[in-house]
Amino acid sequence: MQLHYLTAHQLHDMLVSKQISAEELTRAVFDRIEQVEEKIRAYVTLTQERALNYARLVDKARLAGEALPLMAGIPVAIKDNMCTKGVRTTCASKILYNYIPPYNATVIERLNEARTVMVGKTNLDEFAMGSSCENSAFFTTCNPWDTNRVPGGSSGGSAAAVAAGETILALGSDTGGSIRQPASFCGVVGMKPTYGAVSRYGLVAYASSLDQIGPFARDVTDCAMLLNVICGHDPLDSTSVPYDVPDYTAFLTGDVKGVKIGVPREYMGEGIDPAVKEVIKKAIDVYTGLGVVVEETTLPHTEYALPAYYLIAPAEASSNLARYDGVRYGYRAKDAGDLVDMFMQTRSEGFGAEVKRRIMLGTYALSAGYYDAYYNKALKVRTLIKTDFDRAFEQFDLLLGPTAPVTSFKRGEKVDDPLQMYMVDICTLAVNLAGIPAISIPAGIVDNLPVGLQLIGRPFGEGDILRAAHAFEQNTDYHCKLPE
Amino acid sequence: MISIKDVEHVALLARLTLTEDEKQIYSKQLSDILEHVHKLQDLNTDGIQPTAHVLPLKNVFREDRVGEHMPVDQVLANAPDRQDKFFKVPKIV
Amino acid sequence: MAQYEAVIGLEVHVELKTNTKIFCHSGTEFGADPNHHVCPVCLGLPGVLPVVNKKVVEHAIKAGLALNCQIAAFSKFDRKNYYYPDLPKNYQISQYDLPIAEHGCLEINVNGADKRIGITRVHMEEDAGKLVHQGTISTTPYSLVDYNRTGVPLIEIVSEPDMRSADEAVAYLEKLKAIIQYTGVSDCKMQEGSLRCDANISVRPVGQAELGTKAEIKNMNSFKALHKAVSYEIERQIEVLEDGEKVVQETRTWDEAQGETLSMRSKEEAHDYRYFPDPDLAPMVIARDWVEEIRAGLPELPDERRERFVSAYSLPEYDATVLTGTRELADYYEQCVELYNNPKLVSNWVMGDLARMMNISGQEIKNVRISPAQLAKMLELLDNGTISGKIAKTVFEEMFNTGKDPGQVIEEKELVQISDAGLIDKVVVEVIAANPKSVEDYRAGKEKAIGFLVGQVMKLTKGKANPGLVNELLKIKLDK
């Protein structure tokens, strides 16, 4: 049996019954990494020694009869835009190539309290800006299903690591689809929680009003378990919501009879690959068969989500990324004459093309004379998009559609056309603008590539989403499919 | 349409130095993106409140209590250049 | 030559007195080692987030109320984007279109005339760090950065362009400082930078409604500097106009050594701060009962207190104004009056000898070693004749320098007034015998001669003889 392809809940049982030790599990994962990482390139940094030490401590505690948290000893990979004390955190950018944070992100603290074992830091599009991992300053991660293709992005490293058995679980961040889209491309479960459900403290900001950390897993149960660990109020994040975090595994009852799901017609229209549409239609049939009421609905402002997103996110990014100037940390250009030159050279040499593009775009959108026409207009459209969802949820418990309009594309296919690349996120962006939760689960295979199904829920409706996702999983076997 | 001059102005605001080639590329790409974005102008948003925060959160405050500060060596640990207990930067003008 | 009038508005930054910074738990004490009061948040490390210090909002509301402002029902923080190495995030968290307080005013009095100066707004923001140069900013080979002050809470108070002279500008700043100090939200120490002032100045021909082009003047570190800089700048602009040229809209710095304002040339483009709402901070909905609670906690402010001093203590306007100039001085005065109920006498001592000694020693009232109780006790001893008025000055000086009780000083220095008629009489007899010429003069009708004789008695008694008694006894003897 290959430990590295089991789920966290299976492994938990084996750990508790002492069939395996955490150290053995950790070694199995690193053996797998040894075997496939050369082809996949999911990790920017591996922390093997640290991981083995953590695992041994868990084993020791278990042998001593200590009460351990549920997830103790389970390997987790971390997207390299979450700060890990003493472990290099690069955001896959030259400008932070040598940056070692002196503090842990709140999610890292929570994972440590849960006694999970960090495997390493995964690759991403530089500062989470991208949809293919091709914008990493270091290297491109490959899709385990076809190494000529991209894993999606920006959390491509985390998605690929889970899909390739290079970790059991992973964390990603999602600003416009950066968890769900790579989950779809790599055939794993990926969830973006409600904005404010998971602390952003220590997540290197891309677009602060949209960023949210979430889990990658092999099945919905694992996803729920990891969500249990990372959700909850954090006084260090002013946008973190104080709420009673339920046990998300309690929602996994299999019973979805009478649940009402809406299918926005905008998510099934032009621009969606017909083969992807077919997969979604079959998924609808599965739900109908389970007694779910599925009806068509509408989110009339969907087409405005992309333009609104590409003003709001770059505007916030242009400000968030101003701090990378070569003064306090990270890369500094050599031989700059005076301070302004040092700032300009450092940033020009330190940032990649897409990051610069978005900084320029955002700076322009905020600059004098354009604020009302661009940024403020986008914020008003954001209100309309949010209202679309509010209306839909008056009628439906969940919304359903494809996660991405296409399956994974070939490396290099879209790099020269930013707009084409941005289009890959058309089904996911609006969810971030509205701040609501959504999941992507494996729902089919087209030409040997996975297709993801997106379920969108009400604010803090993660439990309802997980219930429906789990019911689908119980009646299909797509989540069991492995890349060759 | 984003002119080369616009690109230069924005690049200075954002503290980026661009090569002539980059200026050309960004002028074209930003123009394309803004043309797409221009679609927003079709929507009538009169009387619509802008959403800066999706959450209904308000008045998130902390108490005025001193916490731990970082040892100065940790403060300076990632500094590209330092002198004594200071960060060191090139001359301002 | 045309008559010109100046139009002046001030932008004043006040550092709020809190334990911690505005958005993190780092301390704020002045004078720490470089980069000591620093945490990941105020250092602007990747991934950190700000959380608002409630005390800062409370202080800002308090200041707003003291300045007669309307407190916003809804307020928020915005980012002001610009690059400078003392600004770790390269944006400053400030307030743009919805400041915490607006539409206030304060009253000044210049040359006996009262004038109301409007206050446009009060907003909260974070302070920047400090750059240390070798020599001047233009000659230094490199700069050093200290982030201790980064994130220290500030309020910026923007006045209306209601001032017309350097005197008015100084009076406004003095009044503003007094009011803020009274509320206790800031020390307002200009020398430590906890009160900083920039001035917007323009001039126009008298009678012209339209405003002239303004210049912003920075780097005025004292009231004197403010006065000099504003006067200089007004003259400079008038000269420019008289020469038929135009005033350039620009930022100028006050050069204290040269006594002139200098243009701050910069290779930077025109400012474009790209303000937008800070997505990391939730907006503030200020409940009216919170505002009322803060209002109820406001102390009596300088104007009210001055009026009360005039009515309750029958003090002249002038005394009341000086005594209420700072809250500490007014408190000192009132504590003293409570123990020794002669308001005018206490006022004379506080404004006279105490102010003189403070001036000489450069001390502030809160550091003065004489407690109000000690001063009251001394005045009692003066009143009951234990010491004379002249001795009292000596006693007071000693108390000021040592902090000793008046009784102790009098005892140690043997300064008790001699009121024993027998003892004084002996000396009087001695003096009359030794000065026949003066006695002669007096008896011949030169009444002034008695002054010399009194002086002789005082000299022999080391100033301790009760002067009234000396006079009396001398007259009895001489008139015989």
Side-chain angles (χ1 to χ4, degrees), chain A residues 362-380:
Chain A
T363 304
Y364 183 81
L366 290 175
S367 64
Y370 297 108
Y371 182 89
D372 280 323
Y374 288 120
Y375 186 72
N376 207 37
K377 181 83 181 180
L379 292 185
K380 288 180 175 181

Side-chain angles (χ1 to χ4, degrees), chain C residues 115-131:
Chain C
K115 184 168 179 179
R116 171 170 294 191
I117 307 294
I119 287 168
T120 316
R121 57 186 276 158
V122 177
H123 73 247
M124 299 176 274
E125 62 187 25
E126 55 181 343
D127 204 351
K130 193 174 81 177
L131 291 174

Side-chain angles (χ1 to χ4, degrees), chain A residues 98-100 102 195 209 238-241 301 303-304 306-308 311 326-330 332 337-339 342-345 347-348 353 356-357 359-361 363-364 373-374 376-384 386 416 418-419 422-423 433-435, chain B residues 1-2 6-18 22 25-26 29-30 32-34 36-55 57 60 70 74-76 78-81 87-93:
Chain A
N98 59 353
Y99 176 63
I100 298 176
Y195 186 81
S209 78
S238 305
T239 62
S240 147
V241 176
H301 295 96
E303 61 175 311
Y304 300 101
L306 184 81
L311 289 172
V327 174
R328 293 155 299 277
Y329 41 77
R332 175 189 287 193
D338 63 23
L339 188 86
M342 193 278 273
F343 278 6
M344 297 191 70
Q345 284 179 35
R347 293 167 59 79
S348 300
K356 285 188 217 173
R357 187 153 43 237
I359 289 174
M360 299 270 295
L361 184 56
T363 304
Y364 183 81
Y374 288 120
N376 207 37
K377 181 83 181 180
L379 292 185
K380 288 180 175 181
V381 173
R382 187 175 187 179
T383 307
L384 295 173
K386 194 170 172 291
D416 293 328
L419 259 180
Y422 298 170
M423 294 291 185
L433 291 170
Chain B
M1 183 62 201
I2 306 291
D6 292 333
V7 168
E8 284 171 347
H9 172 69
V10 171
L12 180 61
L13 278 179
R15 293 289 183 269
L16 292 168
T17 313
L18 302 179
E22 281 177 314
I25 295 169
Y26 282 131
Q29 289 179 337
L30 294 181
D32 287 352
I33 296 167
L34 284 170
H36 182 81
V37 159
H38 203 74
K39 188 187 214 156
L40 294 182
Q41 306 307 326
D42 304 347
L43 276 176
N44 183 354
T45 50
D46 293 350
I48 306 285
Q49 284 301 310
T51 297
H53 290 86
V54 283
L55 296 167
L57 284 175
V60 181
M70 285 156 78
Q74 203 177 58
V75 171
L76 294 162
N78 281 289
D81 198 4
F87 292 89
K88 192 172 171 183
V89 295
K91 60 183 186 206
I92 312 270
V93 284

Side-chain angles (χ1 to χ4, degrees), chain A residues 82 107 171-173 179 193 198-200 203 211-215 230:
Chain A
M82 296 171 215
V107 286
L171 286 187
S173 66
I179 291 174
V198 181
S199 169
R200 293 187 295 115
L203 168 68
D211 295 341
Q212 192 65 187
I213 292 171
I230 61 173

Side-chain angles (χ1 to χ4, degrees), chain A residues 447-464:
Chain A
D447 296 333
N448 211 25
L449 292 170
V451 176
L453 167 75
Q454 181 172 225
L455 292 167
I456 305 167
R458 298 188 179 100
F460 297 97
E462 280 82 354
D464 296 332

